Amino acid sequence: MSQENNTTPDTQPDQGRRRFLNTAAFAGLAGAGLSVGLSACKQEQAAAPAATGSVAPRAAAAASSGGAGKYHLEPGELDTYYGLWSGGHTGDFRVLGLPSGRELHRVPCFVPDALVGWGHTNESKAVMGTRPDGSLKYTVGDTHHTHASYKDGNYDGRYAWINDKINSRIARIRLDYFICDKITDLPNVQGFHGIFPDKRDPVDPAINYTTRVFCGAEFHTPLPNDGRDLEAPEKYRTLFSCVDAETMEVRWQVLIDGNCDLVATSFDGKLAATNQYNTEGGYHYEGMMSAERDACLFFNIARIEQAVKDGKFRTYGDSRVPVVDGTKAANTDPATSLVCYVTVPKNPHGVNASPDGKYFICAGKLSPTATVIELTKVLDWFDGKVNDADETIVAEVELGLGPLHTAFDGRGNAYTTLFLDSQIVKWNVDAAIKFHSGDTSAQYVVDRLDVHYQPGHINASQSETMFADGKWLCVGCKFSKDRFLPVGPLHAETEQLVDISGEKMKLVADHPVRPEPHDFIIFKRELLNPKKIYSHDDFPLAITDPKDAGVYRNGNKVTVKITSLAPAFEPREFKVKRGDEVTIILTNLDRIEDLTHGFAIPKYNVNFIVNPQETASVTFKADKPGVFWCYCTHFCHALHLEMRSRMIVEA
């Protein structure tokens, strides 16, 4: 089914650009002497004509509402959805309001943040991890994927998790305060990429909420990676990890073949999955694309945990985390297998669970196809009812060039990004299954929409829950080119908002974003109830009475307890001696919403904030004698500029 041509003379000339980018991409690979192998599926539907218009006419784009509702909100009007975004190599976690696209907050996780003092306060350094000398273990991060905790198939507002691909760490964000409260290093892992929480327990029906978070490793390395087997890539392996949602300890790991991309979980809690590329074990990209099919792996959670209980595991290096064998060679008998290997076209990039709980969909990337895998058949394979794991595939259909990620509307339709085509394709899953079964009259492609440009991640409102509502869809585009005012060589990237409430997709808004966000989720605002003021009980060092403020000395270690109550610090001044190790503990005694105070000391590299009723501390060496004005950095009062305390460092 073709999309109507809505091109007008003053819209962007995307078709020429898309053809150029596609040709250039393939020319580059061909120039390297490679056979890309963009294989079509065994059966092909006549492709729906590509959309030729980039956006609706400008006058139409100025409209403030569509079938899904308003997207240009009035001043003071609140959004109806939260969006939780990864920040990419800024290493943070971003919070947006949707459908407006307004950025509301950034939660620092893996990298220091000067606004809040993350990585400077003692409390945040304890979360981030330090070296023996007290300096941060890492100061860079690369966040790609974020997902939130579930209860009864929907988000429950407790936690979100986000990965750090560079240093293989997982961070947990408390959604009551929107703060990172724990970070865990994954042992013997490089390139931690895909992440997804479970949605219920695989065995106990009373546990209808998230208790595990699954993590896929992208880069294969020697195990342990301590200098052995450096030139023996055939011995390199990757690990799939399970982290406890509450303790944030690594429960177990699975040794597997190939490189993990993304992770998905079933709504019944029985299966986790990762799509894999480089099952060849190549270490140059030529060798990573030689096989025509790679794999989607399904992990039988109950069997893995029973194997751990039975002691059927080993460990690697200094890690005491149990590792079970999930390699293909060790999992040929379905009756005892921990892992099921389903083949999918080469170098897949994305696996997503449909909201009805029936299917996992792998996008082909180097194949123009999507593979639909039925979960009941995967469970049948583990039970010995299916002979060949590939019999679990119920559809493998052509969508377009460079399919990457898929979202859902809850009405049976999937939406997949086509990186090379710079499009989103809307397709019906049931129709695709019928077409794959031989019904060539089944028209599975419903619509196509040009986006700007080279889309990667995609998600829709409530898409990854059992309550997908089919209203809004966001797509992250890796190149903005001419969409925004130029600001030098580094361009903003484009997050585009699409109304999917009707039969046709409608692009309604562009939003520039600082590079480089990746995955995100969108959910209804009523699922979350953030607290607006902290409780003193959350902070063991809280100073609840200004009378307790003051200087406390123990040899050359000095603790300065300070309270803030707009527009004054208490004490108004304090004295220390050169060479003292000084710890400042600051409690904000204000109980008024949005009354945050900052605390900065010139020449001492100190700057952090305390929100209402929050306590934070910093430690530094008083190595410069003189007078140093400690001042409030966060506007709080008409006398904000006068809100100071005087630190006197005696020689």
Side-chain angles (χ1 to χ4, degrees):
M1 300 173 67
S2 63
Q3 181 188 8
E4 295 178 3
N5 185 334
N6 59 4
T7 303
T8 60
D10 59 345
T11 58
Q12 304 290 342
D14 301 301
Q15 283 295 301
R17 178 185 302 279
R18 198 167 68 247
R19 282 195 297 269
F20 168 76
L21 286 167
N22 293 351
T23 304
F26 286 109
L29 291 174
L34 302 178
S35 173
V36 178
L38 280 169
S39 55
C41 57
K42 295 178 182 177
Q43 302 171 323
E44 294 184 1
Q45 177 188 19
T52 56
S54 61
V55 292
R58 297 299 182 191
S64 63
S65 64
K70 294 173 63 176
Y71 51 89
H72 290 307
L73 303 184
E74 299 297 326
E77 187 176 3
L78 299 182
D79 282 290
T80 51
Y81 297 88
Y82 280 98
L84 306 183
W85 252 256
S86 62
H89 40 276
T90 60
D92 58 16
F93 170 97
R94 303 177 186 181
V95 185
L96 275 65
L98 292 170
S100 74
R102 297 176 293 196
E103 184 176 302
L104 307 175
H105 188 40
R106 294 191 182 188
V107 180
C109 300
F110 300 114
V111 300
D113 182 271
L115 188 150
V116 301
W118 188 257
H120 297 281
T121 64
N122 296 325
E123 292 77 12
S124 62
K125 291 170 76 173
V127 174
M128 294 181 74
T130 57
R131 301 180 185 277
D133 64 359
S135 63
L136 291 175
K137 188 176 181 181
Y138 304 110
T139 58
V140 297
D142 186 19
T143 57
H144 282 225
H145 299 102
T146 182
H147 295 283
S149 55
Y150 288 81
K151 184 176 182 180
D152 291 326
N154 206 351
Y155 298 121
D156 64 6
R158 287 184 298 146
Y159 301 124
W161 292 270
I162 196 164
N163 75 311
D164 169 23
K165 182 173 178 178
I166 295 178
N167 294 309
S168 298
R169 297 174 291 173
I170 176 173
R172 186 176 73 185
I173 292 88
R174 284 179 53 175
L175 295 180
D176 56 350
Y177 288 133
F178 278 97
I179 58 168
C180 174
D181 74 331
K182 286 183 181 292
I183 292 177
T184 297
D185 287 58
L186 302 181
N188 294 306
V189 164
Q190 276 190 34
F192 161 37
H193 192 208
I195 177 175
F196 218 101
D198 70 358
K199 302 180 179 85
R200 61 171 55 242
D201 190 82
V203 177
D204 188 349
I207 303 176
N208 58 346
Y209 52 87
T210 294
T211 57
R212 306 167 183 81
V213 185
F214 301 108
C215 310
E218 188 170 358
F219 305 146
H220 55 317
T221 64
L223 291 175
N225 192 20
D226 57 3
R228 70 185 73 184
D229 299 328
L230 300 178
E231 301 297 336
E234 70 278 2
K235 296 183 179 180
Y236 296 0
R237 289 292 184 273
T238 50
L239 296 174
F240 184 85
S241 304
C242 175
V243 174
D244 188 283
E246 290 295 335
T247 67
M248 289 290 286
E249 296 178 355
V250 183
R251 287 190 181 186
W252 44 260
Q253 295 177 305
V254 183
L255 182 75
I256 55 176
D257 304 316
N259 299 167
C260 297
D261 179 37
L262 296 195
V263 174
T265 60
S266 61
F267 282 97
D268 62 9
K270 295 179 180 180
L271 297 171
T274 181
N275 58 313
Q276 284 197 307
Y277 69 99
N278 193 27
T279 53
E280 306 93 327
Y283 54 96
H284 293 140
Y285 69 79
E286 300 92 331
M288 298 179 188
M289 301 192 298
S290 59
E292 284 302 311
R293 296 184 75 84
D294 282 296
C296 183
L297 275 59
F298 290 87
F299 300 88
N300 189 314
I301 307 305
R303 286 190 184 179
I304 291 171
E305 296 192 344
Q306 188 61 51
V308 171
K309 289 180 182 178
D310 294 342
K312 298 177 181 179
F313 64 84
R314 61 163 299 176
T315 60
Y316 288 99
D318 295 334
S319 171
R320 302 274 67 86
V321 174
V323 179
V324 299
D325 192 344
T327 59
K328 190 172 184 179
N331 289 266
T332 57
D333 182 2
T336 58
S337 289
L338 309 179
V339 182
C340 174
Y341 283 72
V342 179
T343 72
V344 295
K346 64 192 309 175
N347 295 69
H349 192 84
V351 57
N352 300 92
S354 61
D356 59 10
K358 294 181 179 179
Y359 309 111
F360 278 11
I361 294 175
C362 285
K365 193 173 79 171
L366 296 189
S367 166
T369 56
T371 303
V372 183
I373 301 169
E374 187 172 339
L375 296 191
T376 55
K377 292 189 175 184
V378 175
L379 293 173
D380 285 345
W381 182 86
F382 280 111
D383 291 339
K385 300 176 183 177
V386 172
N387 294 325
D388 187 340
D390 284 2
E391 294 177 25
T392 64
I393 298 172
V394 293
E396 196 164 277
V397 292
E398 183 174 337
L399 300 178
L401 296 181
L404 296 185
H405 301 284
T406 301
F408 305 92
D409 61 11
R411 299 188 295 271
N413 300 309
Y415 300 75
T416 300
T417 50
L418 303 176
F419 182 80
L420 294 177
D421 279 337
S422 279
Q423 285 186 335
I424 301 169
V425 57
K426 175 182 178 180
W427 54 287
N428 184 270
V429 177
D430 286 342
I433 294 171
K434 291 178 182 178
F435 183 86
H436 182 80
S437 299
D439 182 0
T440 56
S441 66
Q443 296 291 310
Y444 59 87
V445 173
V446 179
D447 192 19
R448 296 181 185 273
L449 179 71
D450 288 337
V451 292
H452 312 87
Y453 304 92
Q454 319 318 126
H457 282 282
I458 190 172
N459 218 321
S461 47
Q462 296 280 147
S463 174
E464 294 187 312
T465 73
M466 296 175 68
F467 305 93
D469 63 14
K471 291 186 177 181
W472 298 109
L473 178 144
C474 286
V475 57
C477 298
K478 296 304 181 185
F479 299 94
S480 62
K481 300 296 183 183
D482 47 11
R483 301 298 289 184
F484 310 113
L485 288 174
V487 290
L490 178 63
H491 287 58
E493 294 187 3
T494 315
E495 296 283 344
Q496 296 191 302
L497 179 70
V498 180
D499 182 341
I500 59 170
S501 60
E503 189 73 1
K504 294 284 186 180
M505 295 178 282
K506 181 182 178 183
L507 178 62
V508 298
D510 281 7
H511 297 288
V513 290
R514 189 180 188 210
E516 181 183 83
H518 292 263
D519 204 4
F520 52 90
I521 61 173
I522 304 167
F523 57 90
K524 293 181 178 179
R525 72 184 189 196
E526 54 264 30
L527 295 176
L528 202 57
N529 187 27
K531 299 176 182 178
K532 298 178 181 179
I533 297 175
Y534 281 102
S535 168
H536 284 318
D537 295 338
D538 292 327
F539 306 100
L541 300 179
I543 307 154
T544 58
D545 190 333
K547 295 178 182 178
D548 295 327
V551 178
Y552 298 80
R553 178 176 290 277
N554 182 10
N556 69 339
K557 294 187 177 181
V558 177
T559 299
V560 183
K561 296 183 178 182
I562 302 175
T563 60
S564 61
L565 188 64
F569 291 116
E570 180 62 39
R572 306 287 185 90
E573 66 180 39
F574 57 93
K575 294 181 179 180
V576 297
K577 297 179 179 180
R578 183 177 186 176
D580 284 343
E581 181 186 283
V582 180
T583 297
I584 291 179
I585 303 171
L586 174 62
T587 297
N588 183 347
L589 295 181
D590 281 298
R591 296 178 179 273
I592 300 172
E593 177 185 346
D594 201 18
L595 213 168
T596 295
H597 295 298
F599 192 85
I601 306 177
K603 307 300 182 182
Y604 274 92
N605 201 37
V606 170
N607 182 28
F608 63 99
I609 65 170
V610 281
N611 294 291
Q613 301 289 287
E614 184 181 11
T615 297
S617 65
V618 293
T619 300
F620 58 92
K621 181 78 73 172
D623 55 1
K624 292 177 283 291
V627 173
F628 301 91
W629 289 101
C630 311
Y631 69 97
C632 180
T633 54
H634 207 96
F635 194 92
C636 60
H637 192 275
L639 295 177
H640 168 70
L641 294 180
E642 290 79 9
M643 187 171 178
R644 307 184 207 169
S645 181
R646 188 168 56 133
M647 180 176 76
I648 299 173
V649 181
E650 299 174 334

